[in-house]
PDB file of all heavy atoms in Angstrom:
ATOM      1  N   GLN V  95     -81.025  43.011 -45.583  1.00 90.00           N
ATOM      2  CA  GLN V  95     -81.151  41.794 -46.413  1.00 90.00           C
ATOM      3  C   GLN V  95     -81.641  42.094 -47.823  1.00 90.00           C
ATOM      4  O   GLN V  95     -81.926  41.213 -48.642  1.00 90.00           O
ATOM      5  CB  GLN V  95     -82.156  40.832 -45.782  1.00 90.00           C
ATOM      6  CG  GLN V  95     -81.819  40.319 -44.348  1.00 90.00           C
ATOM      7  CD  GLN V  95     -80.441  39.667 -44.397  1.00 90.00           C
ATOM      8  OE1 GLN V  95     -80.233  38.826 -45.281  1.00 90.00           O
ATOM      9  NE2 GLN V  95     -79.575  39.993 -43.536  1.00 90.00           N
ATOM     10  N   LEU V  96     -81.634  43.453 -48.198  1.00 92.00           N
ATOM     11  CA  LEU V  96     -81.948  43.712 -49.610  1.00 92.00           C
ATOM     12  C   LEU V  96     -80.755  43.289 -50.504  1.00 92.00           C
ATOM     13  O   LEU V  96     -79.619  43.535 -50.295  1.00 92.00           O
ATOM     14  CB  LEU V  96     -81.991  45.277 -49.718  1.00 92.00           C
ATOM     15  CG  LEU V  96     -82.462  45.849 -51.103  1.00 92.00           C
ATOM     16  CD1 LEU V  96     -83.847  45.324 -51.506  1.00 92.00           C
ATOM     17  CD2 LEU V  96     -82.502  47.330 -51.069  1.00 92.00           C
ATOM     18  N   PHE V  97     -81.172  42.405 -51.534  1.00 93.00           N
ATOM     19  CA  PHE V  97     -80.237  41.757 -52.415  1.00 93.00           C
ATOM     20  C   PHE V  97     -79.261  40.931 -51.666  1.00 93.00           C
ATOM     21  O   PHE V  97     -78.083  40.792 -52.101  1.00 93.00           O
ATOM     22  CB  PHE V  97     -79.524  42.789 -53.325  1.00 93.00           C
ATOM     23  CG  PHE V  97     -80.549  43.722 -54.067  1.00 93.00           C
ATOM     24  CD1 PHE V  97     -80.423  45.065 -53.946  1.00 93.00           C
ATOM     25  CD2 PHE V  97     -81.478  43.194 -54.886  1.00 93.00           C
ATOM     26  CE1 PHE V  97     -81.301  45.899 -54.637  1.00 93.00           C
ATOM     27  CE2 PHE V  97     -82.395  43.980 -55.577  1.00 93.00           C
ATOM     28  CZ  PHE V  97     -82.277  45.366 -55.470  1.00 93.00           C
ATOM     29  N   SER V  98     -79.591  40.260 -50.590  1.00 89.00           N
ATOM     30  CA  SER V  98     -78.748  39.466 -49.794  1.00 89.00           C
ATOM     31  C   SER V  98     -78.229  38.285 -50.528  1.00 89.00           C
ATOM     32  O   SER V  98     -77.166  37.730 -50.248  1.00 89.00           O
ATOM     33  CB  SER V  98     -79.455  38.991 -48.478  1.00 89.00           C
ATOM     34  OG  SER V  98     -80.594  38.224 -48.817  1.00 89.00           O
ATOM     35  N   GLU V  99     -78.978  37.834 -51.591  1.00 90.00           N
ATOM     36  CA  GLU V  99     -78.468  36.629 -52.339  1.00 90.00           C
ATOM     37  C   GLU V  99     -77.199  36.966 -53.134  1.00 90.00           C
ATOM     38  O   GLU V  99     -76.541  36.069 -53.625  1.00 90.00           O
ATOM     39  CB  GLU V  99     -79.566  36.253 -53.381  1.00 90.00           C
ATOM     40  CG  GLU V  99     -79.758  37.176 -54.505  1.00 90.00           C
ATOM     41  CD  GLU V  99     -80.638  38.401 -54.202  1.00 90.00           C
ATOM     42  OE1 GLU V  99     -81.125  38.512 -53.061  1.00 90.00           O
ATOM     43  OE2 GLU V  99     -80.917  39.184 -55.124  1.00 90.00           O
ATOM     44  N   GLN V 100     -76.765  38.273 -53.099  1.00 91.00           N
ATOM     45  CA  GLN V 100     -75.511  38.646 -53.772  1.00 91.00           C
ATOM     46  C   GLN V 100     -74.300  38.230 -52.913  1.00 91.00           C
ATOM     47  O   GLN V 100     -73.179  38.269 -53.444  1.00 91.00           O
ATOM     48  CB  GLN V 100     -75.471  40.077 -54.105  1.00 91.00           C
ATOM     49  CG  GLN V 100     -76.650  40.587 -54.939  1.00 91.00           C
ATOM     50  CD  GLN V 100     -76.512  40.018 -56.354  1.00 91.00           C
ATOM     51  OE1 GLN V 100     -75.412  39.957 -56.896  1.00 91.00           O
ATOM     52  NE2 GLN V 100     -77.675  39.603 -56.913  1.00 91.00           N
ATOM     53  N   GLY V 101     -74.532  37.899 -51.657  1.00 90.00           N
ATOM     54  CA  GLY V 101     -73.454  37.506 -50.779  1.00 90.00           C
ATOM     55  C   GLY V 101     -72.316  38.504 -50.529  1.00 90.00           C
ATOM     56  O   GLY V 101     -71.128  38.254 -50.630  1.00 90.00           O
ATOM     57  N   PHE V 102     -72.810  39.692 -50.194  1.00 90.00           N
ATOM     58  CA  PHE V 102     -71.788  40.844 -49.999  1.00 90.00           C
ATOM     59  C   PHE V 102     -70.963  40.520 -48.763  1.00 90.00           C
ATOM     60  O   PHE V 102     -71.408  39.999 -47.706  1.00 90.00           O
ATOM     61  CB  PHE V 102     -72.505  42.134 -49.799  1.00 90.00           C
ATOM     62  CG  PHE V 102     -73.369  42.576 -51.059  1.00 90.00           C
ATOM     63  CD1 PHE V 102     -74.699  42.808 -50.890  1.00 90.00           C
ATOM     64  CD2 PHE V 102     -72.765  42.737 -52.261  1.00 90.00           C
ATOM     65  CE1 PHE V 102     -75.497  43.159 -51.979  1.00 90.00           C
ATOM     66  CE2 PHE V 102     -73.553  43.112 -53.345  1.00 90.00           C
ATOM     67  CZ  PHE V 102     -74.887  43.329 -53.215  1.00 90.00           C
ATOM     68  N   THR V 103     -69.658  40.934 -48.816  1.00 91.00           N
ATOM     69  CA  THR V 103     -68.784  40.797 -47.592  1.00 91.00           C
ATOM     70  C   THR V 103     -69.132  41.969 -46.678  1.00 91.00           C
ATOM     71  O   THR V 103     -69.794  42.908 -47.059  1.00 91.00           O
ATOM     72  CB  THR V 103     -67.292  40.990 -48.060  1.00 91.00           C
ATOM     73  OG1 THR V 103     -67.059  42.271 -48.534  1.00 91.00           O
ATOM     74  CG2 THR V 103     -66.985  39.811 -49.148  1.00 91.00           C
ATOM     75  N   GLU V 104     -68.643  41.866 -45.527  1.00 92.00           N
ATOM     76  CA  GLU V 104     -68.876  42.895 -44.517  1.00 92.00           C
ATOM     77  C   GLU V 104     -68.305  44.267 -45.021  1.00 92.00           C
ATOM     78  O   GLU V 104     -68.913  45.265 -44.778  1.00 92.00           O
ATOM     79  CB  GLU V 104     -68.282  42.580 -43.153  1.00 92.00           C
ATOM     80  CG  GLU V 104     -69.048  41.484 -42.395  1.00 92.00           C
ATOM     81  CD  GLU V 104     -70.520  41.828 -42.268  1.00 92.00           C
ATOM     82  OE1 GLU V 104     -70.914  42.888 -41.801  1.00 92.00           O
ATOM     83  OE2 GLU V 104     -71.418  40.948 -42.556  1.00 92.00           O
ATOM     84  N   GLN V 105     -67.130  44.265 -45.643  1.00 93.00           N
ATOM     85  CA  GLN V 105     -66.599  45.490 -46.188  1.00 93.00           C
ATOM     86  C   GLN V 105     -67.439  46.095 -47.264  1.00 93.00           C
ATOM     87  O   GLN V 105     -67.670  47.220 -47.272  1.00 93.00           O
ATOM     88  CB  GLN V 105     -65.139  45.160 -46.736  1.00 93.00           C
ATOM     89  CG  GLN V 105     -64.512  46.385 -47.331  1.00 93.00           C
ATOM     90  CD  GLN V 105     -64.313  47.621 -46.297  1.00 93.00           C
ATOM     91  OE1 GLN V 105     -64.022  47.383 -45.175  1.00 93.00           O
ATOM     92  NE2 GLN V 105     -64.577  48.840 -46.801  1.00 93.00           N
ATOM     93  N   GLN V 106     -67.949  45.162 -48.198  1.00 91.00           N
ATOM     94  CA  GLN V 106     -68.844  45.657 -49.263  1.00 91.00           C
ATOM     95  C   GLN V 106     -70.162  46.238 -48.659  1.00 91.00           C
ATOM     96  O   GLN V 106     -70.558  47.236 -49.117  1.00 91.00           O
ATOM     97  CB  GLN V 106     -69.235  44.473 -50.201  1.00 91.00           C
ATOM     98  CG  GLN V 106     -68.087  44.117 -51.189  1.00 91.00           C
ATOM     99  CD  GLN V 106     -68.515  42.900 -52.000  1.00 91.00           C
ATOM    100  OE1 GLN V 106     -69.019  41.897 -51.430  1.00 91.00           O
ATOM    101  NE2 GLN V 106     -68.265  42.996 -53.274  1.00 91.00           N
ATOM    102  N   LYS V 107     -70.650  45.617 -47.651  1.00 92.00           N
ATOM    103  CA  LYS V 107     -71.893  46.128 -46.963  1.00 92.00           C
ATOM    104  C   LYS V 107     -71.642  47.472 -46.396  1.00 92.00           C
ATOM    105  O   LYS V 107     -72.547  48.371 -46.556  1.00 92.00           O
ATOM    106  CB  LYS V 107     -72.333  45.098 -45.858  1.00 92.00           C
ATOM    107  CG  LYS V 107     -72.881  43.872 -46.384  1.00 92.00           C
ATOM    108  CD  LYS V 107     -73.384  42.998 -45.206  1.00 92.00           C
ATOM    109  CE  LYS V 107     -74.041  41.699 -45.671  1.00 92.00           C
ATOM    110  NZ  LYS V 107     -74.468  40.925 -44.565  1.00 92.00           N
ATOM    111  N   GLN V 108     -70.498  47.692 -45.775  1.00 93.00           N
ATOM    112  CA  GLN V 108     -70.223  49.023 -45.207  1.00 93.00           C
ATOM    113  C   GLN V 108     -70.096  50.043 -46.224  1.00 93.00           C
ATOM    114  O   GLN V 108     -70.608  51.150 -46.129  1.00 93.00           O
ATOM    115  CB  GLN V 108     -68.918  48.911 -44.338  1.00 93.00           C
ATOM    116  CG  GLN V 108     -68.596  50.156 -43.589  1.00 93.00           C
ATOM    117  CD  GLN V 108     -67.390  49.990 -42.797  1.00 93.00           C
ATOM    118  OE1 GLN V 108     -66.498  49.168 -43.003  1.00 93.00           O
ATOM    119  NE2 GLN V 108     -67.256  50.811 -41.751  1.00 93.00           N
ATOM    120  N   ASP V 109     -69.535  49.709 -47.445  1.00 94.00           N
ATOM    121  CA  ASP V 109     -69.308  50.647 -48.543  1.00 94.00           C
ATOM    122  C   ASP V 109     -70.704  50.852 -49.206  1.00 94.00           C
ATOM    123  O   ASP V 109     -71.060  51.969 -49.556  1.00 94.00           O
ATOM    124  CB  ASP V 109     -68.369  50.010 -49.532  1.00 94.00           C
ATOM    125  CG  ASP V 109     -67.818  51.067 -50.469  1.00 94.00           C
ATOM    126  OD1 ASP V 109     -67.926  52.266 -50.259  1.00 94.00           O
ATOM    127  OD2 ASP V 109     -67.187  50.678 -51.475  1.00 94.00           O
ATOM    128  N   LEU V 110     -71.537  49.777 -49.268  1.00 94.00           N
ATOM    129  CA  LEU V 110     -72.858  49.933 -49.809  1.00 94.00           C
ATOM    130  C   LEU V 110     -73.750  50.794 -49.031  1.00 94.00           C
ATOM    131  O   LEU V 110     -74.540  51.604 -49.542  1.00 94.00           O
ATOM    132  CB  LEU V 110     -73.539  48.553 -49.983  1.00 94.00           C
ATOM    133  CG  LEU V 110     -73.045  47.748 -51.179  1.00 94.00           C
ATOM    134  CD1 LEU V 110     -73.534  46.320 -51.054  1.00 94.00           C
ATOM    135  CD2 LEU V 110     -73.527  48.342 -52.485  1.00 94.00           C
ATOM    136  N   VAL V 111     -73.688  50.777 -47.716  1.00 93.00           N
ATOM    137  CA  VAL V 111     -74.454  51.629 -46.798  1.00 93.00           C
ATOM    138  C   VAL V 111     -74.140  53.085 -47.103  1.00 93.00           C
ATOM    139  O   VAL V 111     -75.028  53.971 -47.113  1.00 93.00           O
ATOM    140  CB  VAL V 111     -74.256  51.336 -45.333  1.00 93.00           C
ATOM    141  CG1 VAL V 111     -74.838  52.376 -44.383  1.00 93.00           C
ATOM    142  CG2 VAL V 111     -74.903  49.956 -44.990  1.00 93.00           C
TER     143      VAL V 111
END
Side-chain angles (χ1 to χ4, degrees):
Q95 300 302 310
L96 185 61
F97 305 124
S98 60
E99 71 279 1
Q100 300 296 317
F102 300 121
T103 66
E104 288 304 314
Q105 180 59 41
Q106 285 175 314
K107 286 180 181 181
Q108 188 176 23
D109 201 12
L110 284 167
V111 166

